[in-house]
Amino acid sequence: MTPNQNKLLMSKLRQPVHISYISKYILKESEEETLRILNLLIDENQIEESPLSKGYYVVKVQEIQN
């Protein structure tokens, strides 16, 4: 994933977005490749699958530590 794709993806994932939309219009990759990329970002704790709907992804809200 290029830095521009990463920046675009993170800006779009402020609201939950379905994997098919991410694949077709944001990353312009196959759904399999998109899922691989999303899983890497989940492992890096940057995004998460929306708790409201399966197949939708959103930027993970970082908890503030005191």
Side-chain angles (χ1 to χ4, degrees):
M1 181 164 61
T2 67
N4 286 340
Q5 283 179 317
N6 190 12
K7 185 177 178 182
L8 178 62
L9 179 61
M10 291 303 167
S11 70
K12 297 292 185 183
L13 292 183
R14 294 182 194 276
Q15 296 180 347
V17 179
H18 194 264
I19 187 171
S20 62
Y21 185 88
I22 295 168
S23 175
K24 189 171 185 179
Y25 297 106
I26 299 173
L27 297 180
K28 298 178 181 159
E29 299 281 352
S30 67
E31 282 200 28
E32 294 81 19
E33 179 65 13
T34 299
L35 185 57
R36 187 188 68 76
I37 291 169
L38 293 174
N39 284 332
L40 286 173
L41 293 172
I42 289 170
D43 291 343
E44 293 173 359
N45 213 23
Q46 293 184 32
I47 67 169
E48 64 184 352
E49 189 168 11
S50 174
L52 303 175
S53 267
K54 187 166 175 61
Y56 284 79
Y57 295 86
V58 65
V59 170
K60 189 168 188 174
V61 177
Q62 299 296 325
E63 296 179 12
I64 299 174
Q65 296 178 348
N66 291 329

